[in-house]
Amino acid sequence: GGDDSEGGRYRIQLRRVAEGRFVDRDVPLLSIAAHDDRVWAIRFRAPEGRELLSVSQDGTVGWWKAEDGSPLGPLEPPGDRGASKADRGLLALALSSDGRWAAAGGWAGDIYVWDLETPAAPAMVLAGTHAPWPEDPGKLLPSGHVEEVHSLVFAPDDPPLLISGGGDGLLVGWDLAQGKAGRVVSVDGKTPDVRALLMRQIENGRDADFVITATRPTPSRGGVLAADYRGCVLLVVTSGPCRDWWLGKDVPRANCLRPLLDSRRICTPLGRPAGEAAVPFVALAPYPGLETGFVGISFDEKYYLFRSTDQLPW
């Protein structure tokens, strides 16, 4: 998916891969005229992978048969369809490992969750923390994202726990059983007030540095990987006591956010000299044969391969 369009419709293309090469390089196996605007994310539905879902700048979630591209959806978030595309556009999509739950979020800062076994039912809305503020922002702790939602991932084998990352630099653990945020933290594991979040976005021109750019489940590590704009990668532990921590319970000495990479060699420090650009990871992917390893795909089109014990890529 992406910017490819024909006749005003933005397309999803399916291509087969065999032995590490595209079989349908010149002509796609299937092309779906899917959305009215850019397609931001696509996921196959587990466990069979016979369906796929997509989110778009047009504010809808597409739902398709992978065999022939026929529609099973769409899923539309509740709200004002008269809102601008900039406000209703969806950027992030997650599907639970059992294929039952779908979550989408975007520019509005809200997250929508559907039970795909009852798709006609209204979506659960996990609301962001929006202005006007009910009190002084310096005294207000966020109960959700203050800015856009960039990434979403269900905790491995535990659909009631959803992890989101935003343009505000927040990681949020959502308790789907309660329909609310359990834990809202920055990458240091602390919860800043709303004023601090707004101010740090404009201080020293570091706006983008706090964006959580990518997340993905890592069952073998007992949690989720999360990358930010500086090229840092964190292990978000969601197993054991950390599950309760992300659901909002007090857990003594819980170490549920762990930096994985050498900040001096990979992560670009916040205190770097002016003009020194960060190189963020725009996606994280598994690497076949390395159960706890992963690949970081960077903004400058390089692929970094990490083994389970590495602090540096090879």
Side-chain angles (χ1 to χ4, degrees):
D3 289 327
D4 181 63
S5 65
E6 182 178 5
R9 295 287 289 178
Y10 286 74
R11 296 186 294 187
I12 295 171
Q13 295 186 358
L14 277 72
R15 298 175 187 268
R16 294 172 295 170
V17 177
E19 298 180 351
R21 296 181 180 274
F22 283 110
V23 178
D24 313 292
R25 179 176 293 278
D26 298 322
V27 179
L29 174 69
L30 179 66
S31 183
I32 305 172
H35 288 279
D36 292 331
D37 209 329
R38 177 181 304 165
V39 180
W40 280 111
I42 303 169
R43 298 286 184 271
F44 284 94
R45 185 183 180 192
E48 293 88 1
R50 296 176 181 174
E51 302 169 8
L52 58 90
L53 285 86
S54 57
V55 294
S56 166
Q57 187 66 33
D58 67 11
T60 63
V61 180
W63 188 4
W64 320 92
K65 287 185 179 180
E67 180 182 12
D68 58 10
S70 57
L72 296 168
L75 305 172
E76 291 205 23
D80 181 11
R81 293 300 298 164
S84 69
K85 288 183 179 180
D87 290 333
R88 71 172 188 258
L90 297 174
L91 304 171
L93 172 65
L95 296 179
S96 62
S97 59
D98 61 2
R100 178 172 179 177
W101 302 94
W107 293 111
D110 298 329
I111 297 169
Y112 313 99
V113 181
W114 289 268
D115 182 345
L116 297 182
E117 293 186 359
T118 56
M124 177 192 303
V125 179
L126 306 174
T129 305
H130 305 299
W133 320 116
E135 56 182 297
D136 180 356
K139 300 178 181 178
L140 180 63
L141 296 180
S143 58
H145 287 288
V146 176
E147 297 193 17
E148 71 274 9
V149 178
H150 271 279
S151 58
L152 289 164
V153 60
F154 285 93
D157 302 318
D158 193 3
L161 176 57
L162 176 70
I163 303 292
S164 63
D168 44 23
L170 293 176
L171 286 163
V172 183
W174 298 95
D175 182 347
L176 299 189
Q178 300 293 325
K180 64 179 183 180
R183 185 73 57 181
V184 182
V185 295
S186 292
V187 294
D188 59 3
K190 300 177 181 178
T191 305
D193 61 59
V194 170
R195 184 187 300 279
L197 281 172
L198 298 175
M199 290 303 298
R200 92 177 174 186
Q201 293 297 86
I202 59 175
E203 286 179 349
N204 303 318
R206 302 296 195 202
D207 184 9
D209 281 2
F210 300 96
V211 175
I212 305 298
T213 55
T215 53
R216 72 163 297 105
T218 176
S220 58
R221 291 178 181 260
V224 169
L225 296 179
D228 67 14
Y229 192 85
R230 296 173 295 151
C232 302
V233 178
L234 295 156
L235 175 60
V236 180
V237 183
T238 59
S239 58
C242 287
R243 179 186 182 277
D244 289 336
W245 190 80
W246 283 108
L247 292 175
K249 299 177 183 178
D250 291 329
V251 178
R253 296 183 297 278
N255 183 17
C256 304
L257 273 176
R258 305 174 188 173
L260 292 184
L261 307 182
D262 186 334
S263 61
R264 294 168 297 176
R265 296 287 300 278
I266 300 298
C267 302
T268 308
L270 288 173
R272 65 185 184 273
E276 182 180 331
V279 181
F281 291 125
V282 295
L284 301 172
Y287 190 87
L290 291 179
E291 185 177 2
T292 58
F294 65 95
V295 177
I297 305 172
S298 69
F299 189 74
D300 59 357
E301 300 181 3
K302 294 179 180 178
Y303 291 72
Y304 295 84
L305 174 59
F306 297 89
R307 297 170 298 188
S308 60
T309 58
D310 285 344
Q311 288 189 305
L312 301 176
W314 59 290

